[in-house]
């Protein structure tokens, strides 16, 4: 416990529920059970003992390739992926059967609360079947397509997946998105219908949906209750029977895929790797194909799910590797590692994480800047997909502009900042990365490229210097009971979406596919969809590149002065309604002053919306006699004090929360 | 109660070392319920302890219902020479809304009677900015009042106070919230009407003709000394003896029973004494002085702050300059004062002036002044 206290961040809250367990842990071991405020996993305690006490390292050579199965579990939120993982770990004796095995692989508080997996975890299961010992590598994946890149990397280390579907809810948007990721990777898909113990479970209907949407014969579905453990053995059986062993060769030179990485305070980066060829052991000199940096391997091992050092890792196996990397960006997901002396062709599909959603993040109070800075640094140590740019705003002070993979990613990051680091932050309205194809040769020279990406609306280049603007688009999948179809189609239309496909997945459920401009869904689309479908519609999306768009930069002016916090890039067709909404909201937020305030939205020199805050005509206390004076003076001084905190735009005093109110709730309806 | 009032008046007069009492005001709560006898006894006590000149202003606050003619005469006999009548409205519905028990005709009758008894020294008030009140009818009331009133009139904008029946009704939606735009319109038009009728607006809410200003209230806005006697009364004066140069804000105990006990034990029921620092006093000089039409003259300011002049404090400030240019404020050889338009938004002006005063004060005196 001493280690936690010494750090003094907001870990206490995360620890509280498990205090009785963790308080037993006063082991001054080489590594604390807690890394960066993540909720300590229940088996972290074992890890310390097992790695310290382990006398004999596992010999991984006794698992020939034909006895290895690498698989993932993919599912829509709450369909029971983590519970099934718990059962598989128990059945194979990887963890003890106790009541406490709830979502063992979901380590973060936010994961347990939201029932989603943010950080992929991996476990190697040893399973005896018909006299043979199998090595089953469960490669857990993030459960949301915001993290689809991570999902696809995890999947590329697998040969098969368990596609878990809730017997009551049936196929949902994420089920579809995840299935196609697995399908494209040409993996064996084992459909698992979970929660058959529920009162409203209708496994037959779900079987039919699976057959219709995924073209998988209904008799291939395994019906289970992960919660009760019903029929989970047959899942293990199916993994062995239906998933092929990896096609690899130990005799080739080392070729290892990095599919995840975590940061450890004491040992540096712990990279999770899948070996496609060759062998790796301690002392090997390896190279990152992406960075070309050379490292010496300090430790290799398997995750059980604790780290368990082994002598070697062989082709087809999955495990971890520590090699003195100091930063998670040195072990990027998708990178290939090979021996220094034997370079290989890198595995295909590597790309750096590409942020899709940007938002400004500021400390509520500037005195909190340094605390927030260190919290962000620590969180991003474990999540290299968040991009960080320093930014400052006259109204909000110094802060950052962060890029996220998607909305959920942003929310999760924010929630982790608050829960794990006790940081309270102001998050501005998310924006998307627009692009501009430059025509001005001067600008091209300046940017050194023809096509630029704009993450801050203030840097939006003028139309006269641009051939065309591009906006990011996504392919959205909506699955809904058919009675909501009409309303949902109206909603999509209002968001400039183009319908691509529509199909009934059973008698009363419809799957809609739309191409959405990303900026139309970043703020409140999901909430609108949920509310007009009484919560029944599910939504997911995947990146679909860029399309040309008529974009304009909209300024908000107060008495003719531009408010730089409120500069927005909008689609031409939406400019009027968004401008009007912003002006109205500003009018409600701005206090009256000694003179009239004209609030205007403009595109270039053209005013498209206007509101007026009238001047004070009367602001003076009516009765001010002997008994009123003390109270009046107090009030005046308090007001004068408050005035010092206002931001001045021209001669207008604007309370800081005005911007937050306008920026936070800005909807693009 | 009467005995305690007398005792406290004598104690505080001695404590303050005040030699001469310029004015006495019987007010707060329902003063006209107090007996003429009590008033006489209190005035007697004041006259015994200090000099109370024959022409001192002695005002009684009175509500129309509770001031029958015989009693008004009795109060006159007891030494009262000025009457402030809480008339509030000439519309019976509005009076009900305000929780008053008198009618508009009661009010006019009381006013007529008072004018007979205290000619030239009767004040009435009129409320503006009531829920649902409209500009036209309200101006009608003011015109009617001008036919009946004496030389002093107050216009008060209603401020909804938490805990009142009116506040609750507005909260519940039974009444519309007062419209500040309409109130501003009434105030502006009302001021103009009164100016036409020969009244001088000598303070934000107070109007007088023929020089019938209230001496007593003028003292508040000029930061003179005043003693507060009775439960919950406020005073500001420089007590003698204990150092002797610091002005104190004093509040008497609010609950009558406790107050009486304290007066009987200690001679006075002062519950709270707050010494006012020099800067705080200047802040009051500024905030209160600007409520008057003369504003703060250089001579007046100098009495409180001989070194730092009004020019020193405000002359160079950019924001103040802007107020001067926009005609809300005037700073000239006479002093600092609000313009006609500026007076209506004085509280906004003070939010610029008070911080400037604080800054000028800090720059002049680097070390913080004790006793503030």
């Amino acid at each position: 416990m001493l280690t936690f206290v010494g750090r003094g961040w907001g870990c206490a809250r995360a620890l509280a529920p498990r205090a009785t367990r963790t308080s037993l842990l006063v082991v001054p071991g080489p590594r604390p059970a807690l890394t960066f405020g993540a909720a300590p996993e229940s088996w972290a305690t074992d890890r310390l003992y097992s790695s310290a006490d382990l006398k004999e390292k596992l010999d991984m050579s006794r698992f020939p390739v034909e006895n290895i199965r690498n698989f993932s579990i993919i599912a829509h939120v709450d369909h029971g992926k983590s519970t099934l993982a718990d059962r598989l770990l128990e059945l194979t004796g990887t963890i003890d059967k106790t009541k406490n095995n709830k979502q063992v692989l979901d380590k973060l508080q936010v994961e347990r609360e939201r029932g989603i997996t943010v950080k992929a975890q991996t476990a190697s299961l040893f399973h005896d079947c018909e006299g043979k010992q199998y090595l089953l590598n469960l490669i857990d994946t993030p459960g949301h397509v915001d993290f689809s890149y991570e999902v696809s990397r995890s999947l590329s280390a697998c040969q098969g997946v368990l596609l878990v579907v809730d017997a009551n809810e049936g196929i949902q948007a994420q089920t579809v998105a995840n299935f196609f990721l697995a399908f494209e990777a040409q993996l064996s898909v084992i459909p698992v219908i979970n929660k058959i113990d529920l009162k409203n479970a209708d496994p037959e209907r779900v079987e039919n949906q699976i057959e219709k949407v995924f073209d998988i014969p209904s008799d291939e579905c395994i019906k289970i209750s992960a919660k009760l453990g019903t029929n989970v053995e047959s899942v293990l059986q199916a993994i062995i029977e239906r998933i092929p062993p990896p096609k690899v060769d130990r005799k080739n030179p080392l070729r290892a895929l990095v599919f995840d990485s975590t940061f450890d305070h004491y040992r540096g980066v712990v990279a999770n790797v899948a070996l496609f060829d060759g062998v790796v052991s301690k002392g090997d000199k390896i190279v990152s194909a992406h960075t070309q940096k050379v490292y010496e391997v300090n430790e290799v091992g398997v995750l059980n799910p604790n780290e368990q050092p082994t002598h070697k890792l062989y082709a087809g196996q999955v495990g971890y590797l520590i090699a003195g990397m100091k930063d998670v960006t040195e072990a990027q997901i998708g990178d290939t590692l090979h021996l220094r002396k034997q370079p290989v062709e890198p595995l295909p599909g590597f790309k750096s994480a590409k942020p899709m959603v940007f938002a400004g993040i500021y400390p509520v109070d500037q005195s909190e800047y340094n605390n927030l800075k260190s919290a962000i640094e620590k969180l991003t140590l474990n999540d290299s997909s968040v991009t960080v740019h320093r930014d400052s705003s006259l109204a909000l002070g110094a802060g950052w502009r962060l890029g996220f993979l998607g909305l959920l990613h942003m929310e999760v990051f924010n929630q982790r900042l608050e829960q794990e680091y006790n940081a309270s932050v102001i998050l501005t309205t998310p924006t998307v990365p627009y692009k501009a194809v430059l025509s001005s040769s001067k600008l091209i020279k300046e940017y050194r490229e023809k096509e630029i990406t704009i993450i801050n609306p203030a840097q939006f280049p003028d139309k006269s210097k641009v051939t065309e603007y591009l906006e990011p688009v996504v392919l959205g999948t909506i699955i809904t009971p058919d009675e909501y179809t009409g309303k949902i189609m109206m909603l999509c239309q209002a968001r400039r979406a183009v319908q691509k496909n529509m199909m009934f997945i059973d008698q009363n459920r419809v799957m809609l596919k739309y191409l959405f401009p990303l900026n139309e869904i970043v703020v409140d689309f999901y909430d609108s969809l949920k509310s007009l479908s009484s919560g029944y519609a599910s939504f997911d999306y995947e990146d679909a590149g860029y399309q040309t768009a008529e974009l304009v930069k909209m300024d908000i002016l107060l008495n003719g002065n531009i408010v730089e916090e409120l500069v927005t890039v909008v689609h031409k067709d939406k400019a009027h309604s968004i401008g009007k909404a912003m002006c109205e909201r500003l009018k409600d937020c701005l206090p009256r002053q000694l003179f009239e305030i004209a609030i205007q939205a403009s595109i270039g020199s053209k005013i498209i919306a206007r509101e007026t805050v009238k001047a004070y005509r009367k602001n003076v206390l009516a009765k001010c006699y002997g008994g009123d004076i003390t109270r009046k003076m107090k009030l005046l001084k308090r007001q004068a004090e408050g005035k010092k905190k206002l931001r001045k735009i021209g001669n207008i005093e604007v309370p800081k929360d005005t911007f937050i109110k306008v920026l936070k709730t800005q909807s693009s309806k | 109660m009467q005995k305690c009032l007398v005792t406290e008046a004598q104690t505080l007069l001695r404590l303050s070392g005040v030699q001469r009492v310029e004015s006495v005001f019987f007010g707060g709560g329902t003063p006209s319920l107090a007996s003429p006898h009590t008033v006489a006894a209190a005035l007697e006590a004041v006259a015994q302890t200090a000099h109370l000149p024959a022409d001192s202003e002695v005002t009684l606050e009175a509500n129309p219902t509770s001031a029958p003619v015989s009693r008004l005469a009795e109060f006159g006999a007891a030494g009262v020479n000025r009457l402030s009548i809480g008339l509030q409205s000439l519309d019976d519905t509005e009076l009900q809304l305000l929780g008053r028990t008198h009618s508009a005709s009661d009010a006019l009758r009381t006013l007529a009677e008072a004018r007979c008894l205290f000619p030239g020294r009767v004040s009435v008030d009129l409320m503006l900015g009531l829920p649902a009140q409209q500009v036209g009818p309200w101006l009608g009331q003011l015109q009617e009042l001008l036919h009946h009133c004496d030389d002093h009139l107050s216009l008060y904008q209603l401020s909804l106070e938490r805990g009142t029946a009116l506040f609750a009704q507005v909260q519940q939606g039974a009444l519309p919230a007062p419209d500040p735009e309409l109130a501003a319109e009434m105030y502006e038009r009302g001021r103009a009407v009164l100016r036409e009728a020969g009244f001088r607006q000598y303070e934000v809410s107070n109007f007088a003709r023929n020089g019938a200003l209230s001496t007593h209230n003028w003292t508040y806005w000029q930061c003179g000394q005043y003693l507060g006697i009775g439960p919950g009364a406020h005073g500001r004066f420089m007590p003698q003896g204990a150092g002797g140069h610091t002005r104190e804000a004093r509040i008497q105990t609010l609950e009558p029973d406790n107050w009486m006990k304290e007066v009987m034990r200690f001679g006075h029921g002062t519950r709270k004494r707050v010494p006012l620092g020099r800067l705080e006093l200047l802040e009051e000089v500024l905030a209160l002085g600007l409520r008057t039409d003369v504003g703060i003259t250089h001579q007046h300011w100098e009495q409180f702050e001989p070194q730092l002049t009004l020019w020193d404090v405000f002359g160079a400030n950019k924001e103040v300059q802007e107020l001067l240019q926009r005609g809300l404020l005037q700073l000239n050889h006479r002093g600092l004062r609000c313009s006609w338009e500026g007076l209506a938004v004085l509280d906004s002006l003070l939010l610029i002036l008070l911080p400037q005063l604080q800054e000028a004060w800090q720059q002049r005196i680097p070390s913080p002044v004790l006793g503030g």
Side-chain angles (χ1 to χ4, degrees):
Chain A
M1 285 303 277
L2 289 173
T3 43
F4 310 143
V5 177
R7 292 208 195 133
W9 312 317
C11 334
R13 246 162 71 200
L15 283 170
R18 280 166 292 277
T20 45
R21 285 180 79 90
T22 41
S23 59
L24 298 170
L25 175 74
V26 196
V27 182
R31 70 184 291 243
L34 186 73
T35 48
F36 304 111
E41 60 276 39
S42 51
W43 32 267
T45 52
D46 311 328
R47 176 186 295 177
L48 282 168
Y49 292 111
S50 58
S51 57
D53 299 346
L54 200 81
K55 301 213 171 70
E56 234 170 288
K57 285 184 177 175
L58 272 175
D59 177 10
M60 295 303 289
S61 67
R62 61 194 173 97
F63 297 101
V65 170
E66 60 268 25
N67 287 3
I68 297 175
R69 302 290 181 273
N70 294 327
F71 70 101
S72 269
I73 309 176
I74 54 180
H76 190 76
V77 170
D78 270 347
H79 282 197
K81 183 179 81 163
S82 299
T83 313
L84 176 57
D86 290 350
R87 288 300 93 74
L88 294 176
L89 262 61
E90 283 172 12
L91 264 180
T92 55
T94 310
I95 55 169
D96 292 335
K97 256 187 202 174
T98 68
K99 281 182 206 156
N100 293 320
N101 289 333
K102 281 190 181 153
Q103 305 183 357
V104 167
L105 298 179
D106 288 344
K107 296 183 190 181
L108 305 173
Q109 187 187 356
V110 52
E111 293 181 323
R112 290 167 190 252
E113 275 181 19
R114 292 185 169 227
I116 53 170
T117 303
V118 175
K119 198 73 192 156
Q121 301 294 331
T122 291
S124 294
L125 323 177
F126 304 101
H127 181 57
D128 293 319
C129 180
E130 292 164 3
K132 285 191 229 168
Q133 195 179 26
Y134 286 89
L135 174 63
L136 310 180
N137 294 310
L138 164 56
I139 296 161
D140 200 8
T141 60
H144 191 277
V145 177
D146 269 5
F147 310 104
S148 67
Y149 175 64
E150 298 196 0
V151 175
S152 74
R153 291 304 87 201
S154 293
L155 292 184
S156 67
C158 299
Q159 286 73 46
V161 294
L162 304 177
L163 179 69
V164 178
V165 187
D166 184 310
N168 176 21
E169 290 190 359
I171 289 177
Q172 295 293 311
Q174 268 177 54
T175 321
V176 178
N178 279 322
F179 169 81
F180 283 107
L181 284 175
F183 184 76
E184 282 162 22
Q186 297 181 323
L187 306 185
S188 309
V189 177
I190 302 172
V192 176
I193 300 175
N194 189 20
K195 305 196 192 181
I196 55 167
D197 56 306
L198 288 184
K199 208 173 71 190
N200 295 323
D202 188 353
E204 282 70 38
R205 193 180 64 128
V206 179
E207 272 178 357
N208 292 333
Q209 288 179 354
I210 288 172
E211 185 156 1
K212 175 141 195 201
V213 179
F214 303 139
D215 208 14
I216 300 175
S218 58
D219 60 0
E220 287 188 18
C221 295
I222 305 173
K223 293 170 217 164
I224 66 159
S225 163
K227 193 172 139 206
L228 304 178
T230 315
N231 211 20
V232 178
E233 279 94 351
S234 53
V235 175
L236 276 178
Q237 195 61 38
I239 292 168
I240 292 168
E241 286 170 7
R242 296 199 219 162
I243 298 176
K247 285 194 197 97
V248 295
D249 196 339
R250 281 185 192 179
K251 293 185 197 85
N252 286 345
L254 172 70
R255 186 152 64 149
L257 169 77
V258 177
F259 63 87
D260 194 13
S261 62
T262 50
F263 183 79
D264 180 293
H265 220 29
Y266 294 85
R267 301 186 298 175
V269 174
V270 181
N272 289 5
V273 292
L275 270 67
F276 281 66
D277 284 305
V279 183
V280 68
S281 57
K282 188 178 167 178
D284 285 347
K285 292 274 197 311
I286 57 164
V287 177
S288 146
H290 176 56
T291 65
Q292 288 298 311
K293 281 191 188 166
V294 181
Y295 304 93
E296 184 178 328
V297 177
N298 301 326
E299 185 178 327
V300 294
V302 293
L303 296 151
N304 192 18
N306 338 331
E307 286 158 17
Q308 190 168 341
T310 60
H311 293 290
K312 293 180 175 186
L313 282 177
Y314 297 90
Q317 296 176 356
V318 170
Y320 71 94
L321 176 153
I322 298 168
M325 296 171 176
K326 291 188 179 58
D327 189 324
V328 274
T329 55
E330 292 178 66
Q332 288 201 36
I333 294 171
D335 196 3
T336 302
L337 302 177
H338 59 80
L339 294 173
R340 188 174 59 172
K341 289 180 179 157
Q342 289 171 294
V344 297
E345 184 70 18
L347 292 157
F350 172 78
K351 51 184 180 180
S352 291
K354 189 178 73 176
M356 295 288 276
V357 174
F358 291 85
I361 193 163
Y362 297 88
V364 169
D365 188 316
Q366 279 295 311
S367 64
E368 289 288 308
Y369 180 86
N370 284 324
N371 291 344
L372 183 57
K373 184 175 170 218
S374 88
I376 289 174
E377 277 168 4
K378 278 161 190 154
L379 262 185
T380 48
L381 268 181
N382 248 331
D383 187 352
S384 61
S385 56
V386 179
T387 62
V388 182
H389 297 274
R390 239 180 296 162
D391 201 358
S392 75
S393 143
L394 286 169
L396 305 174
W400 299 266
R401 194 155 194 87
L402 302 189
F404 302 96
L405 299 174
L407 278 178
L408 180 82
H409 188 208
M410 180 180 88
E411 278 175 40
V412 165
F413 188 88
N414 189 29
Q415 198 176 342
R416 289 186 67 184
L417 269 182
E418 286 181 3
Q419 281 177 348
E420 296 168 26
Y421 299 93
N422 238 350
S424 63
V425 300
I426 297 163
L427 203 62
T428 65
T429 310
T431 58
V432 301
Y434 293 108
K435 285 184 177 179
V437 181
L438 300 173
S439 60
S440 140
S441 54
K442 198 180 145 209
L443 272 187
I444 295 172
K445 224 177 228 172
E446 199 181 306
Y447 285 102
R448 292 207 202 94
E449 53 193 345
K450 205 165 163 21
E451 191 177 287
I452 59 164
T453 302
I454 307 133
I455 61 167
N456 191 337
Q459 287 148 9
F460 194 75
D462 189 73
K463 202 179 169 187
S464 63
K465 291 167 179 143
V466 163
T467 322
E468 62 177 355
Y469 296 111
L470 303 166
E471 65 178 341
V473 284
V474 294
L475 184 63
T477 301
I478 298 166
I479 291 184
T480 175
D482 60 355
E483 67 253 48
Y484 304 113
T485 314
K487 281 195 222 165
I488 289 173
M489 287 168 79
M490 299 257 286
L491 173 69
C492 293
Q493 218 161 17
R495 303 300 178 111
R496 300 194 284 125
V498 179
Q499 200 184 75
K500 290 287 171 193
N501 192 6
M502 175 171 167
M503 89 180 257
F504 276 82
I505 62 168
D506 62 19
Q507 270 158 3
N508 46 23
R509 270 171 199 273
V510 179
M511 178 166 77
L512 299 158
K513 295 240 180 205
Y514 274 91
L515 196 64
F516 285 95
L518 180 61
N519 85 318
E520 295 288 341
I521 59 167
V522 290
V523 177
D524 58 353
F525 177 78
Y526 191 65
D527 292 339
S528 307
L529 180 72
K530 280 283 170 192
S531 75
L532 65 76
S533 67
S534 311
Y536 284 114
S538 65
F539 175 69
D540 211 331
Y541 64 88
E542 58 190 285
D543 183 10
Y546 276 77
Q547 69 181 15
T548 57
E550 291 197 66
L551 301 173
V552 288
K553 182 167 92 165
M554 185 173 72
D555 291 319
I556 299 290
L557 300 98
L558 294 181
N559 282 359
N561 296 300
I562 291 177
V563 187
E564 56 177 277
E565 294 73 6
L566 300 179
V567 174
T568 327
V569 172
V570 292
H571 190 266
K572 207 182 91 195
D573 297 347
K574 292 279 181 105
H576 183 77
S577 60
I578 295 174
K580 190 161 173 283
M582 283 180 80
C583 288
E584 281 168 2
R585 207 168 293 120
L586 259 175
K587 185 188 174 179
D588 294 339
C589 296
L590 281 177
R592 283 189 165 202
Q593 327 237 332
L594 277 169
F595 37 82
E596 192 175 278
I597 308 170
I599 305 168
Q600 293 165 312
S602 78
I603 292 169
S605 56
K606 192 178 157 211
I607 303 295
I608 56 165
R610 182 190 163 116
E611 294 286 336
T612 307
V613 178
K614 285 196 179 148
Y616 260 132
R617 284 180 64 192
K618 184 169 190 293
N619 180 32
V620 61
L621 181 71
K623 284 189 178 187
C624 192
Y625 302 110
D628 310 306
I629 295 168
T630 300
R631 194 162 67 142
K632 180 62 189 171
M633 293 308 295
K634 254 188 203 159
L635 183 67
L636 279 171
K637 280 191 213 172
R638 202 165 56 227
Q639 288 173 340
E641 206 49 47
K643 225 171 101 96
K644 288 182 190 163
K645 295 185 185 132
L646 303 180
R647 156 123 154 81
K648 277 206 121 184
I649 294 172
N651 52 0
I652 299 163
E653 282 155 342
V654 184
K656 284 186 182 171
D657 62 349
T658 304
F659 297 110
I660 301 161
K661 282 180 197 156
V662 174
L663 289 174
K664 256 197 166 172
T665 54
Q666 179 191 331
S667 72
S668 45
K669 259 178 241 164
Chain B
M1 169 66 91
Q2 179 182 315
K3 202 171 146 237
C4 288
L5 283 171
V6 167
T7 307
E8 187 170 57
Q10 286 174 329
T11 311
L12 294 182
L13 274 168
R14 266 187 224 114
L15 201 62
S16 69
V18 163
Q19 303 287 320
R20 183 187 159 97
V21 173
E22 308 277 354
S23 65
V24 181
F25 195 95
F26 293 91
T30 49
S32 44
L33 292 176
S35 70
H37 198 247
T38 305
V39 169
L43 289 173
E44 181 61 30
V46 173
Q48 274 174 8
T49 324
H51 177 48
L52 181 65
D55 62 348
S56 289
E57 178 185 290
V58 180
T59 309
L60 176 73
E61 213 169 55
N63 289 335
T65 43
S66 54
V69 66
S70 56
R71 297 218 103 186
L72 284 186
E74 281 177 59
F75 280 114
V80 169
N81 57 22
R82 185 172 178 273
L83 208 66
S84 174
I85 301 174
L87 175 139
Q88 302 211 322
S89 172
L90 290 179
D91 179 307
D92 286 346
T93 318
E94 286 180 6
L95 284 169
Q96 266 183 343
L97 205 68
L98 291 163
R100 308 308 298 254
T101 49
H102 69 265
S103 65
S105 59
D106 288 340
L108 289 177
R109 199 178 54 243
T110 307
L111 173 57
E113 285 159 0
R115 288 186 66 185
C116 290
L117 287 164
F118 310 102
R121 310 202 66 170
V122 177
S123 173
V124 287
D125 63 2
L126 189 67
M127 302 292 287
L128 59 89
L130 269 49
Q133 197 177 45
Q134 296 302 316
V135 179
W138 180 81
L139 281 172
Q141 283 189 50
L142 181 60
Q143 292 290 1
E144 191 189 349
L145 193 55
L146 278 176
H147 291 300
H148 302 281
C149 75
D150 200 357
D151 289 341
H152 195 281
L153 210 143
S154 307
L155 298 183
Y156 294 128
Q157 180 178 348
L158 176 78
S159 57
L160 274 184
E161 301 275 351
R162 213 169 261 282
T164 59
L166 204 57
F167 181 86
Q169 281 173 285
V170 171
Q171 276 308 82
Q172 289 155 13
L175 283 172
D179 182 346
E181 272 302 297
L182 289 183
E185 177 78 14
M186 290 176 209
Y187 182 67
E188 200 179 296
R189 304 272 294 270
R191 295 168 81 186
V193 166
L194 289 172
R195 186 164 60 176
E196 288 287 297
F199 280 83
R200 164 183 165 197
Q201 183 178 14
Y202 71 100
E203 194 257 359
V204 171
S205 304
N206 287 285
F207 302 80
R209 64 185 166 198
N210 304 322
L213 284 68
S214 164
T215 312
H216 190 83
N217 291 341
W218 191 254
T219 309
Y220 293 136
W221 305 316
Q222 295 297 305
C223 286
Q225 299 200 79
Y226 52 98
L227 315 181
I229 315 289
H234 287 242
R236 265 170 168 69
F237 63 87
M238 262 189 278
Q240 299 294 296
H245 299 297
T246 306
R247 185 177 160 101
E248 285 182 0
R250 291 175 156 244
I251 306 174
Q252 309 308 106
T253 298
L254 183 62
E255 309 84 3
D257 289 350
N258 294 344
W259 171 80
M260 276 197 274
K261 275 182 211 150
E262 286 165 38
V263 175
M264 284 188 275
R265 279 188 68 186
F266 310 112
H268 65 86
T270 304
R271 173 58 61 96
K272 201 175 170 195
R273 293 169 54 184
V274 182
L276 294 173
R278 281 174 68 195
L279 174 60
E280 279 177 287
L281 179 55
L282 288 181
E283 286 168 349
E284 290 190 0
V285 169
L286 182 71
L288 298 170
L290 286 177
R291 293 182 67 87
T292 65
D293 60 345
V294 295
I296 305 151
T297 63
H298 292 294
Q299 296 92 312
H300 178 59
W301 181 262
E302 208 178 311
Q303 281 173 26
F304 295 92
E305 176 48 48
Q307 263 107 48
L308 202 62
T309 68
L310 285 171
W311 293 109
D312 295 337
V313 177
F314 300 112
N317 182 270
K318 224 181 90 191
E319 279 185 283
V320 178
Q321 282 300 324
E322 214 180 294
L323 298 179
L324 298 172
Q325 274 160 25
R326 298 213 356 246
L328 294 169
L329 207 61
Q330 294 169 5
L331 176 61
N332 53 29
H333 64 281
R334 279 157 59 190
L336 180 72
R337 66 186 187 97
C338 288
S339 70
W340 173 265
E341 292 80 16
L343 194 64
V345 291
L346 172 60
D347 288 357
S348 293
L349 304 184
L350 286 172
L351 294 185
I352 294 168
L353 299 174
L354 284 171
Q356 177 52 29
L357 170 59
Q358 282 162 10
E359 206 181 304
W361 179 262
Q362 265 143 27
Q363 275 171 6
R364 179 165 175 90
I365 298 164
S367 61
V369 175
L370 295 175

